[in-house]
PDB file of all heavy atoms in Angstrom:
ATOM      1  N   GLU I 437     -64.159 -21.793  22.403  1.00  0.00           N
ATOM      2  CA  GLU I 437     -63.625 -20.932  21.214  1.00  0.00           C
ATOM      3  C   GLU I 437     -62.289 -21.243  20.949  1.00  0.00           C
ATOM      4  O   GLU I 437     -61.440 -21.517  21.899  1.00  0.00           O
ATOM      5  CB  GLU I 437     -63.883 -19.586  21.355  1.00  0.00           C
ATOM      6  CG  GLU I 437     -65.425 -19.163  21.563  1.00  0.00           C
ATOM      7  CD  GLU I 437     -66.050 -18.966  20.138  1.00  0.00           C
ATOM      8  OE1 GLU I 437     -65.280 -18.993  19.065  1.00  0.00           O
ATOM      9  OE2 GLU I 437     -67.302 -18.973  20.114  1.00  0.00           O
ATOM     10  N   SER I 438     -61.822 -21.018  19.668  1.00  0.00           N
ATOM     11  CA  SER I 438     -60.336 -21.052  19.356  1.00  0.00           C
ATOM     12  C   SER I 438     -59.773 -19.614  19.771  1.00  0.00           C
ATOM     13  O   SER I 438     -60.480 -18.648  19.909  1.00  0.00           O
ATOM     14  CB  SER I 438     -60.090 -21.125  17.888  1.00  0.00           C
ATOM     15  OG  SER I 438     -60.420 -20.078  17.188  1.00  0.00           O
ATOM     16  N   ALA I 439     -58.488 -19.730  19.981  1.00  0.00           N
ATOM     17  CA  ALA I 439     -57.869 -18.420  20.558  1.00  0.00           C
ATOM     18  C   ALA I 439     -58.187 -17.130  19.527  1.00  0.00           C
ATOM     19  O   ALA I 439     -58.527 -16.168  19.973  1.00  0.00           O
ATOM     20  CB  ALA I 439     -56.466 -18.616  20.673  1.00  0.00           C
ATOM     21  N   ARG I 440     -57.956 -17.580  18.326  1.00  0.00           N
ATOM     22  CA  ARG I 440     -58.163 -16.381  17.326  1.00  0.00           C
ATOM     23  C   ARG I 440     -59.576 -15.873  17.169  1.00  0.00           C
ATOM     24  O   ARG I 440     -59.891 -14.823  17.229  1.00  0.00           O
ATOM     25  CB  ARG I 440     -57.694 -16.933  15.924  1.00  0.00           C
ATOM     26  CG  ARG I 440     -57.706 -15.886  14.943  1.00  0.00           C
ATOM     27  CD  ARG I 440     -57.382 -16.330  13.475  1.00  0.00           C
ATOM     28  NE  ARG I 440     -57.792 -15.391  12.611  1.00  0.00           N
ATOM     29  CZ  ARG I 440     -57.098 -14.125  12.357  1.00  0.00           C
ATOM     30  NH1 ARG I 440     -56.159 -13.888  12.949  1.00  0.00           N
ATOM     31  NH2 ARG I 440     -57.746 -13.249  11.359  1.00  0.00           N
ATOM     32  N   ALA I 441     -60.461 -16.881  17.243  1.00  0.00           N
ATOM     33  CA  ALA I 441     -61.807 -16.464  16.999  1.00  0.00           C
ATOM     34  C   ALA I 441     -62.344 -15.782  18.340  1.00  0.00           C
ATOM     35  O   ALA I 441     -63.268 -14.825  18.141  1.00  0.00           O
ATOM     36  CB  ALA I 441     -62.768 -17.756  16.922  1.00  0.00           C
ATOM     37  N   PHE I 442     -61.838 -15.980  19.345  1.00  0.00           N
ATOM     38  CA  PHE I 442     -62.135 -15.346  20.652  1.00  0.00           C
ATOM     39  C   PHE I 442     -61.443 -14.022  20.861  1.00  0.00           C
ATOM     40  O   PHE I 442     -62.082 -13.041  21.301  1.00  0.00           O
ATOM     41  CB  PHE I 442     -61.978 -16.288  21.841  1.00  0.00           C
ATOM     42  CG  PHE I 442     -62.523 -15.673  23.076  1.00  0.00           C
ATOM     43  CD1 PHE I 442     -63.868 -15.827  23.457  1.00  0.00           C
ATOM     44  CD2 PHE I 442     -61.628 -15.050  24.027  1.00  0.00           C
ATOM     45  CE1 PHE I 442     -64.310 -15.163  24.621  1.00  0.00           C
ATOM     46  CE2 PHE I 442     -62.128 -14.460  25.134  1.00  0.00           C
ATOM     47  CZ  PHE I 442     -63.330 -14.670  25.521  1.00  0.00           C
ATOM     48  N   LEU I 443     -60.198 -14.149  20.657  1.00  0.00           N
ATOM     49  CA  LEU I 443     -59.363 -12.900  20.997  1.00  0.00           C
ATOM     50  C   LEU I 443     -59.338 -11.761  19.969  1.00  0.00           C
ATOM     51  O   LEU I 443     -59.247 -10.584  20.461  1.00  0.00           O
ATOM     52  CB  LEU I 443     -57.927 -13.311  21.244  1.00  0.00           C
ATOM     53  CG  LEU I 443     -57.709 -14.412  22.454  1.00  0.00           C
ATOM     54  CD1 LEU I 443     -56.184 -14.812  22.630  1.00  0.00           C
ATOM     55  CD2 LEU I 443     -58.208 -13.606  23.840  1.00  0.00           C
ATOM     56  N   GLU I 444     -59.486 -12.022  18.706  1.00  0.00           N
ATOM     57  CA  GLU I 444     -59.453 -10.979  17.766  1.00  0.00           C
ATOM     58  C   GLU I 444     -60.656  -9.927  18.026  1.00  0.00           C
ATOM     59  O   GLU I 444     -60.476  -8.731  18.066  1.00  0.00           O
ATOM     60  CB  GLU I 444     -59.408 -11.383  16.264  1.00  0.00           C
ATOM     61  CG  GLU I 444     -59.350 -10.189  15.489  1.00  0.00           C
ATOM     62  CD  GLU I 444     -59.207 -10.494  13.985  1.00  0.00           C
ATOM     63  OE1 GLU I 444     -59.888 -11.485  13.436  1.00  0.00           O
ATOM     64  OE2 GLU I 444     -58.290  -9.697  13.293  1.00  0.00           O
ATOM     65  N   PRO I 445     -61.834 -10.542  18.343  1.00  0.00           N
ATOM     66  CA  PRO I 445     -62.979  -9.574  18.577  1.00  0.00           C
ATOM     67  C   PRO I 445     -62.659  -8.799  19.915  1.00  0.00           C
ATOM     68  O   PRO I 445     -63.227  -7.517  19.948  1.00  0.00           O
ATOM     69  CB  PRO I 445     -64.235 -10.401  18.762  1.00  0.00           C
ATOM     70  CG  PRO I 445     -63.831 -11.671  17.928  1.00  0.00           C
ATOM     71  CD  PRO I 445     -62.285 -11.859  18.149  1.00  0.00           C
ATOM     72  N   GLN I 446     -62.069  -9.454  20.877  1.00  0.00           N
ATOM     73  CA  GLN I 446     -61.718  -8.466  22.039  1.00  0.00           C
ATOM     74  C   GLN I 446     -60.855  -7.236  21.625  1.00  0.00           C
ATOM     75  O   GLN I 446     -61.014  -6.182  22.253  1.00  0.00           O
ATOM     76  CB  GLN I 446     -60.975  -9.342  23.105  1.00  0.00           C
ATOM     77  CG  GLN I 446     -61.518 -10.754  23.332  1.00  0.00           C
ATOM     78  CD  GLN I 446     -62.865 -10.812  24.025  1.00  0.00           C
ATOM     79  OE1 GLN I 446     -63.264 -10.079  24.793  1.00  0.00           O
ATOM     80  NE2 GLN I 446     -63.803 -11.814  23.637  1.00  0.00           N
ATOM     81  N   ARG I 447     -59.878  -7.582  20.947  1.00  0.00           N
ATOM     82  CA  ARG I 447     -58.947  -6.565  20.491  1.00  0.00           C
ATOM     83  C   ARG I 447     -59.684  -5.410  19.810  1.00  0.00           C
ATOM     84  O   ARG I 447     -59.579  -4.295  20.169  1.00  0.00           O
ATOM     85  CB  ARG I 447     -57.857  -7.155  19.647  1.00  0.00           C
ATOM     86  CG  ARG I 447     -56.949  -6.081  19.053  1.00  0.00           C
ATOM     87  CD  ARG I 447     -56.147  -6.654  17.765  1.00  0.00           C
ATOM     88  NE  ARG I 447     -55.346  -7.726  18.107  1.00  0.00           N
ATOM     89  CZ  ARG I 447     -54.205  -7.759  18.643  1.00  0.00           C
ATOM     90  NH1 ARG I 447     -53.688  -6.569  18.872  1.00  0.00           N
ATOM     91  NH2 ARG I 447     -53.588  -8.778  19.023  1.00  0.00           N
ATOM     92  N   ILE I 448     -60.513  -5.903  18.882  1.00  0.00           N
ATOM     93  CA  ILE I 448     -61.283  -4.855  18.021  1.00  0.00           C
ATOM     94  C   ILE I 448     -62.254  -4.138  18.940  1.00  0.00           C
ATOM     95  O   ILE I 448     -62.476  -2.888  18.884  1.00  0.00           O
ATOM     96  CB  ILE I 448     -61.960  -5.508  16.880  1.00  0.00           C
ATOM     97  CG1 ILE I 448     -60.974  -6.056  15.960  1.00  0.00           C
ATOM     98  CG2 ILE I 448     -62.974  -4.494  16.197  1.00  0.00           C
ATOM     99  CD1 ILE I 448     -61.632  -6.903  15.011  1.00  0.00           C
ATOM    100  N   ALA I 449     -62.801  -4.840  19.904  1.00  0.00           N
ATOM    101  CA  ALA I 449     -63.756  -4.058  20.858  1.00  0.00           C
ATOM    102  C   ALA I 449     -63.135  -3.031  21.525  1.00  0.00           C
ATOM    103  O   ALA I 449     -63.809  -1.999  21.923  1.00  0.00           O
ATOM    104  CB  ALA I 449     -64.408  -5.189  21.799  1.00  0.00           C
ATOM    105  N   ILE I 450     -61.915  -3.047  22.036  1.00  0.00           N
ATOM    106  CA  ILE I 450     -61.282  -2.027  22.679  1.00  0.00           C
ATOM    107  C   ILE I 450     -60.432  -1.117  21.991  1.00  0.00           C
ATOM    108  O   ILE I 450     -60.385   0.148  22.294  1.00  0.00           O
ATOM    109  CB  ILE I 450     -60.471  -2.551  23.998  1.00  0.00           C
ATOM    110  CG1 ILE I 450     -59.377  -3.391  23.643  1.00  0.00           C
ATOM    111  CG2 ILE I 450     -61.453  -3.083  25.066  1.00  0.00           C
ATOM    112  CD1 ILE I 450     -58.303  -3.618  24.679  1.00  0.00           C
ATOM    113  N   THR I 451     -59.993  -1.526  20.791  1.00  0.00           N
ATOM    114  CA  THR I 451     -59.057  -0.467  20.113  1.00  0.00           C
ATOM    115  C   THR I 451     -59.567  -0.103  18.805  1.00  0.00           C
ATOM    116  O   THR I 451     -59.185   0.908  18.157  1.00  0.00           O
ATOM    117  CB  THR I 451     -57.712  -1.295  19.720  1.00  0.00           C
ATOM    118  OG1 THR I 451     -58.013  -2.347  18.708  1.00  0.00           O
ATOM    119  CG2 THR I 451     -57.050  -1.902  20.881  1.00  0.00           C
TER     120      THR I 451
END
Side-chain angles (χ1 to χ4, degrees):
E437 294 281 345
S438 72
R440 187 181 158 77
F442 184 82
L443 295 174
E444 186 176 37
Q446 315 292 323
R447 172 196 301 279
I448 297 172
I450 59 161
T451 69

